[in-house]
Amino acid sequence: MKYWIVPSNDHIFRIGDAMQAQGGLVDWRMSNNFSIGDIVFVYKTKPEQCIRYRMEIKSVGLSIDEAFNQEQYWTDKDIYYSGLGSFKYARFRLLEEYTDDIMSLHHLHEHGVLGNIQGVMQCKSEEVLEFLLHPYETTNNDVFDVDYPEDDDNLYEGALIKVMANKYERNQKARRECVAKKGYKCLVCGRDFEDTYGEIGKGFIHVHHLTPISSIGKEYQLDIDRDLVPVCPNCHYMLHRKNPPYTIEELKEKLEDRAKKIEITPYDNSIAADELFPPEKD
């Protein structure tokens, strides 16, 4: 099995629209040594500059007659017609869509990808593969809020799974129930992103696990009231500036003390929490 990063530009070909109409399938012109079973990470070029899809190659060597008619999804018709009939096609099947920016170009650079992604890349670096296969674990999910695929209706978390590295499952339903109960205002600094940014901030907040899953090491049933709290990204990061994390009360006290020293109100939305006090040394 090989792993590829394939750039896609919506100004040329609208891959998302094609997949939606074709049941999660898309045919791609072959210019590389794709094989059935290979995994493709589709990187959206500017302005997104982010991997959006993880896909599996289901077929290779398809003729133009065997491939989907995708003409309507080609924004640049000149490119479409210039190669029509001269290519073989590989069929990709969608496995996962990343709706956040966990695999932005910035994060890709941090984990071993060099330069801009301008052409198809085969990924052989262990560092790059580890990030592509486990992006949320690699970027430390106790700091960055993410939604994992929901497996069932039970709020079980912490089931240890053996993959390339151990990972602790999290549950998307738990996040939804937390914000439904506790709202979208940061429990530490009081910031509400809709109040600050208007419509684009509506519904945005991180969810913090009061007891880190990685410290439990066994499956447990979540108690939404006891285990989860909404916090803004700044305060979320500050909570994890030490191990074990600060408690909500400890961080609120630090925020309030620091606010008094620099003569601002503790819940001033114009001041980012990570600007109020420097990181403590170990």
Side-chain angles (χ1 to χ4, degrees), residues 52 144 160 181 279:
R52 280 287 172 242
F144 296 100
L160 190 62
K181 278 191 170 187

Side-chain angles (χ1 to χ4, degrees), residues 13-236:
F13 175 64
R14 303 191 312 278
I15 185 172
D17 291 345
M19 282 193 294
Q20 185 174 6
Q22 295 163 181
L25 301 173
V26 69
D27 290 339
W28 197 266
R29 292 178 174 180
M30 291 185 63
S31 58
N32 296 83
N33 189 27
F34 292 144
S35 299
I36 293 173
D38 287 356
I39 299 298
V40 171
F41 294 89
V42 178
Y43 172 84
K44 286 292 200 72
T45 58
K46 287 182 178 181
E48 291 190 61
Q49 292 188 295
C50 189
I51 287 177
R52 280 287 172 242
Y53 309 111
R54 178 170 64 91
M55 311 190 76
E56 180 186 15
I57 298 179
K58 300 299 294 181
S59 304
V60 295
L62 299 176
S63 68
I64 185 64
D65 294 327
E66 296 171 312
F68 291 118
N69 182 351
Q70 300 177 150
E71 178 185 356
Q72 62 182 308
Y73 308 113
W74 280 77
T75 308
D76 191 326
K77 303 296 185 183
D78 290 338
I79 295 179
Y80 172 75
Y81 285 112
S82 67
L84 195 63
S86 60
F87 287 94
K88 294 293 184 179
Y89 295 81
R91 179 159 295 171
F92 301 166
R93 178 175 68 90
L94 179 65
L95 298 177
E96 185 173 5
E97 179 176 358
Y98 304 98
T99 57
D100 52 28
D101 293 334
I102 191 66
M103 286 200 281
S104 67
L105 184 61
H106 171 73
H107 284 139
L108 290 166
H109 285 166
E110 284 186 334
H111 294 89
V113 174
L114 303 176
N116 292 325
I117 300 173
Q118 297 177 326
V120 176
M121 299 169 48
Q122 183 179 350
C123 303
K124 298 179 180 180
S125 162
E126 290 186 8
E127 180 184 4
V128 173
L129 284 176
E130 176 70 11
F131 175 61
L132 292 176
L133 296 174
H134 311 292
Y136 297 111
E137 291 81 4
T138 309
T139 49
N140 182 4
N141 274 311
D142 284 327
V143 174
F144 296 100
D145 179 53
V146 296
D147 291 331
Y148 279 79
E150 183 177 334
D151 294 324
D152 55 46
D153 291 332
N154 296 316
L155 295 181
Y156 290 97
E157 299 211 11
L160 190 62
I161 298 176
K162 189 68 175 178
V163 287
M164 287 183 66
N166 290 331
K167 73 176 181 180
Y168 291 88
E169 289 184 304
R170 295 192 181 176
N171 194 303
Q172 189 179 35
K173 186 179 179 182
R175 172 192 160 79
R176 291 201 300 266
E177 292 199 10
C178 173
V179 296
K181 278 191 170 187
K182 302 182 180 181
Y184 293 91
K185 181 176 289 188
C186 176
L187 198 61
V188 178
C189 72
R191 171 171 287 182
D192 184 310
F193 282 86
E194 185 175 8
D195 289 344
T196 305
Y197 296 103
E199 183 65 24
I200 64 170
K202 185 177 181 179
F204 179 80
I205 197 69
H206 282 198
V207 169
H208 172 62
H209 287 67
L210 293 172
T211 302
I213 294 175
S214 57
S215 71
I216 296 174
K218 62 180 180 180
E219 187 172 295
Y220 71 102
Q221 188 166 7
L222 274 175
D223 182 316
I224 301 297
D225 292 324
R226 179 195 65 205
D227 293 332
L228 301 177
V229 292
V231 293
C232 74
N234 284 341
C235 290
H236 203 179

